[in-house]
Amino acid sequence: MAHPILMPQLGMIMTEGTVAKWFKEPGAPVAKGEVLFEVSTDKITSDVEATESGLLHVVTPEDAIVPVGGLIGYLLAPGEAAPAAQAAPRAPDAPIPAQVDADIHAIDREGGAPSSPAARKLARERGIDLTQVAGSGPGGRIVETDVLRALEAGPAAAPAAPAPSLLPVRSVVPLTGIRRTIAERMTQSLASGAQFTLHSEADVTELLQRRQLLFKEQGAGRISYTALVIKAVAEALKRHPRLNAHLAGNEIRLLEPVNIGFAAALEEGLVVPVIANADQKPLTAIAVEVEALAEKATSGTLALDDMTGATFTVSVLGLVDGFTPIINPPEVAILGVGRVRERPAAYQGGITVRSFLALSLTVDHRAVDGEPAARFLRRLEQTLTSPGGWMK
């Protein structure tokens, strides 16, 4: 009996995925539990194991985009012919349910406008600038038919060919998977937004002392700088909700949940796991969750749901004094956190050695002006400098 191979759903909001790579050749024997193919979305890349044994019959080639539940191949018995059915046609772009609308827009923006993965893929292939395409989908979302219409209206500009390198090449790293997603999203973010960055620092001497007390008094596990900053940011966002927002089209959506994403570095790039409802969780719970998500990122086991729904992002780069982070659309702000440095400072009428943490806040000027951004950064400084009751 032919066993169909279907596109899995890797998260609650996943509607389609790309068959990034087949690990078996057509006709090759496959054992149940073997890694069969790789699925790629704008958020994650994940290996998929065979649920049955058999001989592989490929229906959908690599780089094809397939809706969740769509047919991509079969596992056949020896001598068995593949069913006549071909790959299921792409499902039309359906209306986006209201409850997941913000999350869908968090992963499908190109050129500043909501767009479907199929539309983005076709636009890249044909050199179409999506900022010049009018969307006909729900909420102005650009769908594949909109790109086809733009192609019919006039010739697409041919993408510029890169200049050939005249230098010896040690190796070539393909711009694919997570690396490609980062390149596209960061370019889109800078091209479509009006970003500016404020730099400051916070005296975290008392914060670090209280951190040590938690170790001794409560037997608390490891509390990373990332966990400390996430909790402090969540506290500050309570007073400054304008920065806890998404920019979608002509709307600035002030969001109810405070879901803090944090950048986790992998060899192939960055991923951003999310601490949901960070404002409602104690520091120790956030610390445990940060460590668990970081381990999942390292092992490549993050699910799509682990990286969905962020309302604000924190990027900790403890090797430098400060840097300029780039916003992760549709969010309107991101905090960059540098290293802790000790230096002499005036304190209570004298000079003593204090610990200072570098902070860099990038905001989208379309949604947030300089004065409220500065007030949020000032509130965050105060929260970090005087941890008080939130640090427990």
Side-chain angles (χ1 to χ4, degrees):
M1 177 182 176
H3 294 284
I5 305 170
L6 306 179
M7 175 61 67
Q9 185 168 27
L10 304 179
M12 292 178 61
I13 70 164
M14 177 180 169
T15 59
E16 57 191 0
T18 300
V19 181
K21 181 179 181 180
W22 286 102
F23 292 105
K24 295 285 187 176
E25 296 293 329
V30 178
K32 182 178 180 179
E34 275 193 285
V35 175
L36 186 55
F37 63 99
E38 181 181 83
V39 172
S40 170
T41 73
D42 280 357
K43 286 282 187 179
I44 62 171
T45 298
S46 180
D47 293 342
V48 179
E49 297 178 354
T51 57
E52 301 289 343
S53 298
L55 302 178
L56 176 62
H57 175 78
V58 173
V59 172
T60 302
E62 292 181 355
D63 295 327
I65 298 174
V66 181
V68 168
L71 179 67
I72 60 176
Y74 289 101
L75 291 172
L76 308 174
E80 182 180 17
Q86 295 300 308
R90 172 185 299 280
D93 291 280
I96 303 173
Q99 65 270 24
V100 301
D101 179 68
D103 285 344
I104 289 292
H105 284 116
I107 63 173
D108 74 355
R109 298 177 65 84
E110 179 136 344
S115 57
S116 71
R120 296 198 301 278
K121 184 174 187 293
L122 181 60
R124 282 195 296 266
E125 292 173 348
R126 303 302 294 273
I128 294 294
D129 182 359
L130 284 183
T131 62
Q132 306 302 315
V133 177
S136 62
R141 188 176 190 232
I142 299 171
V143 296
E144 191 173 16
T145 53
D146 298 322
V147 181
L148 292 172
R149 192 178 301 113
L151 283 169
E152 294 172 358
S165 173
L166 301 178
L167 300 175
V169 177
R170 176 183 295 177
S171 61
V172 175
V173 179
L175 192 62
T176 58
I178 293 176
R179 189 73 263 159
R180 178 174 176 175
T181 299
I182 293 171
E184 291 176 349
R185 288 181 64 83
M186 295 300 96
T187 301
Q188 294 157 17
S189 177
L190 288 173
S192 62
Q195 302 187 23
F196 69 94
T197 304
L198 303 176
H199 299 279
S200 186
E201 61 182 7
D203 185 336
V204 293
T205 307
E206 183 179 347
L207 182 77
L208 300 184
Q209 292 170 349
R210 285 175 174 261
R211 179 175 178 238
Q212 292 299 320
L213 286 176
L214 281 177
F215 295 157
K216 297 177 181 178
E217 295 177 358
Q218 299 182 18
R222 179 176 179 271
I223 299 177
S224 65
Y225 287 127
T226 299
L228 289 168
V229 173
I230 287 174
K231 182 59 179 174
V233 165
E235 292 294 314
L237 286 174
K238 292 179 182 179
R239 300 287 189 93
H240 300 275
R242 191 64 180 257
L243 282 84
N244 191 62
H246 282 176
L247 184 60
N250 294 323
E251 296 180 342
I252 301 171
R253 301 177 180 178
L254 306 186
L255 303 170
E256 184 68 30
V258 178
N259 300 337
I260 310 297
F262 66 96
L266 305 179
E267 184 176 348
E268 62 271 27
L270 293 174
V271 292
V272 184
V274 179
I275 304 295
N277 302 309
D279 59 322
Q280 301 175 23
K281 295 176 179 177
L283 173 61
T284 50
I286 290 175
V288 170
E289 198 169 342
V290 166
E291 188 170 1
L293 288 170
E295 289 177 359
K296 291 176 71 173
T298 302
S299 63
T301 57
L302 282 171
L304 190 59
D305 293 340
D306 292 329
M307 298 186 289
T308 297
T311 61
F312 187 103
T313 296
V314 169
S315 180
V316 178
L317 191 56
L319 299 176
V320 297
D321 293 335
F323 60 102
T324 302
I326 300 174
I327 295 170
N328 188 24
E331 297 164 34
V332 301
I334 181 172
L335 179 73
V337 182
R339 60 182 171 182
V340 175
R341 297 187 66 188
E342 292 186 344
R343 71 165 189 267
Y347 181 72
Q348 294 182 348
I351 299 295
T352 185
V353 174
R354 307 287 291 178
S355 298
F356 292 88
L357 182 65
L359 304 173
S360 303
L361 177 69
T362 298
V363 300
D364 191 332
H365 214 323
R366 295 175 300 171
V368 183
D369 291 331
E371 194 271 339
R375 283 194 284 110
F376 166 79
L377 188 56
R378 179 58 179 160
R379 167 61 62 177
L380 178 60
E381 292 173 26
Q382 294 170 347
T383 304
L384 290 166
T385 300
S386 303
W390 65 265
M391 195 173 176
K392 58 183 178 180

